[in-house]
Amino acid sequence: MGPDLRAPLWPDSASRPLGHPIQPSVVYVAADPDAWDAQYEGRTQGQSYAREGHPNAQVLARRLDALEGATGGLVVGSGMAAVTAGVMGVVRAGDHVLGGTQLYGRSLRLLSEDLPRFGVETSTFDPTDAESLRAALKPTTRAVLVEVVSNPTLRVADMAAIAEVAQEVGCLLIVDNTFTTPRAVQAFALGADIVVHSITKMLAGHSDVTLGYVAARDPALRTRIESFAITLGLTASPFDCWLAERGLATFALRYDQAERNAARIADLLAETPGVTRVLYPGRADHPDRVRAAALLQGRFGTMVTFDVDGGREAANALARRPGMPPLAPTLGDVATTLSHPASSSHRALTPAARAALGISEGTFRMSVGIEDTGPLLDRLARAFGA
Ligand SMILES: *Cc1c(COP(=O)(O)O)cnc(C)c1O
């Protein structure tokens, strides 16, 4: 007789592991068909098949629920999976969806290229201007998708007015809280119906997982989003969830340190010769400083955007300077990184469209890390002075 490849050998233990184990098993074993009935009918709790949910995704989702003040949020395979589930899970052909003009590039593509293929009409509005939202509304508007602070120009959305308009006309407010994180913004308290995150960024924090999170206030929407995500197979990897749970344990500490560093770097850059513009929502020269102060309550974030003169040539030279942070098109890493929107996140736009958003060849966005403040500032001061 051959070996039993699936004999249950996992050691029993009266004590439990302090850290959650990684559970990569795709499928689960029940004692008999009645036991499956009991589980599928909700009389017992359990797992069945990993695409429909697994313990590591559940653990991470409960942790994020606690941060967002949500119930029953869902962890999915990427931030874009979360955006897709949050938007496409709640609309149907004939609906109209509005998005902020400065949404994450792929979210804008979902609106401009994919939703229309399914008969969903889309358009954009300026989230810093509530009148622009009113003007863009249609009787069929079903959902409004916004980010509280935009990338890379760090414009601050008029959330109070947007939430008021959404409520007034009865459409869903979907907030992508990736940039601001629950440390700065409690999106449900601001009136969001659905909150999405790219966990990939600051929440996991180490640039080694790709994950997303979506939560809805209304249980009926929650069920629709979850069912749609399972059908699409937006499943998160157990290993990624496990890494993200570990990263999340230090999220608040990392956020606070990165934010302290960001404020100092913004002030340093503002005094650096050759830097022609600095954008940081906590600075007195930020275009949305009043709204930022009211909305963000001192949590001005971990991103700093700045411009240098001299076009692509100057941008190349700056990126190559010794001591400059690595030029890497993401954000939220433990280390300070630099992004150049014209060649990465915003390369699909024409120069004119970039200019309309306030992005030139000389625009850089720094995602500030958790390095010791003094040495980091010294290094940057030397790099910019060189
Ligand atoms: C990165 C990002 C996303 C997409 O997240 P992925 O995990 O890369 O799919 C969505 N929204 C915002 C604001 C982001 O920064």
Side-chain angles (χ1 to χ4, degrees):
M1 204 168 94
D4 178 356
L5 292 178
R6 291 302 187 187
L9 296 176
W10 197 263
D12 277 339
S13 175
S15 49
R16 63 174 176 85
L18 176 61
H20 288 127
I22 304 175
Q23 173 53 283
S25 186
V26 166
V27 73
Y28 289 74
V29 179
D32 55 30
D34 278 355
W36 280 127
D37 276 349
Q39 193 175 298
Y40 279 117
E41 288 161 17
R43 286 177 279 121
T44 58
Q45 287 295 310
Q47 318 277 332
S48 57
Y49 188 67
R51 178 164 37 71
E52 315 221 333
H54 55 73
N56 293 105
Q58 263 183 36
V59 163
L60 183 58
R62 295 300 78 78
R63 292 246 192 277
L64 291 165
D65 285 351
L67 288 182
E68 277 293 2
T71 305
L74 186 69
V75 166
V76 288
S78 70
M80 276 317 299
V83 173
T84 302
V87 175
M88 294 191 75
V90 301
V91 297
R92 63 183 70 233
D95 285 346
H96 173 238
V97 173
L98 268 169
T101 40
Q102 290 200 49
L103 288 176
Y104 185 68
R106 282 281 159 187
S107 300
L108 282 175
R109 278 195 200 208
L110 177 71
L111 262 56
S112 65
E113 285 169 32
D114 297 300
L115 289 175
R117 289 190 295 116
F118 297 96
V120 177
E121 203 188 348
T122 65
S123 49
T124 56
F125 73 103
D126 174 0
T128 66
D129 171 14
E131 283 318 303
S132 156
L133 172 58
R134 282 193 188 280
L137 284 171
K138 294 174 187 277
T140 51
T141 305
R142 167 73 174 148
V144 177
L145 173 63
V146 285
E147 293 169 22
V148 182
V149 173
S150 72
N151 179 40
T153 55
L154 310 180
R155 295 300 305 262
V156 180
D158 188 350
M159 291 303 297
I162 293 170
E164 196 184 300
V165 172
Q167 173 133 48
E168 194 183 300
V169 303
C171 72
L172 297 169
L173 178 57
I174 307 175
V175 175
D176 181 337
N177 202 17
T178 300
F179 249 60
T180 25
T181 83
R183 200 87 183 127
V185 162
Q186 296 283 311
F188 285 114
L190 292 182
D193 296 291
I194 295 170
V195 174
V196 300
H197 274 285
S198 169
I199 300 173
T200 313
K201 311 292 170 54
M202 195 83 190
L203 293 174
H206 297 70
S207 302
D208 51 13
V209 306
T210 302
L211 288 174
Y213 167 83
V214 52
R217 192 203 298 270
D218 171 7
L221 286 185
R222 206 180 291 155
T223 306
R224 274 171 59 182
I225 290 170
E226 177 160 8
S227 171
F228 183 64
I230 292 170
T231 301
L232 258 59
L234 304 180
T235 315
S237 140
F239 180 58
D240 278 10
C241 293
W242 183 82
L243 277 176
E245 185 199 353
R246 185 182 160 114
L248 199 60
T250 56
F251 160 65
L253 291 171
R254 286 186 286 103
Y255 191 90
D256 291 358
Q257 174 65 10
E259 187 175 62
R260 270 194 296 276
N261 285 344
R264 297 284 299 276
I265 288 171
D267 291 342
L268 171 79
L269 291 176
E271 281 161 20
T272 299
V275 173
T276 53
R277 178 180 71 157
V278 174
L279 289 166
Y280 185 66
R283 279 182 57 82
D285 55 6
H286 189 277
D288 303 317
R289 66 192 169 281
V290 176
R291 192 181 305 132
L295 186 65
L296 304 175
Q297 310 263 329
R299 306 316 309 248
F300 297 120
T302 60
M303 304 294 151
V304 180
T305 295
F306 63 94
D307 283 8
V308 292
D309 270 342
R312 176 59 68 92
E313 207 174 318
N316 282 337
L318 182 84
R320 286 195 295 250
R321 283 189 193 178
M324 209 42 93
L327 185 64
T330 185
L331 60 107
D333 190 58
V334 285
T336 300
T337 57
L338 204 57
S339 117
H340 180 251
S343 63
S344 56
S345 54
H346 291 70
R347 65 173 299 121
L349 301 185
T350 62
R354 283 196 291 266
L357 294 176
I359 303 165
S360 74
E361 280 292 342
T363 303
F364 284 90
R365 186 212 62 208
M366 215 182 262
S367 167
V368 178
I370 64 169
E371 298 92 340
D372 275 353
T373 309
L376 174 63
L377 286 168
D378 288 348
R379 172 160 74 98
L380 291 176
R382 272 199 303 278
F384 277 90

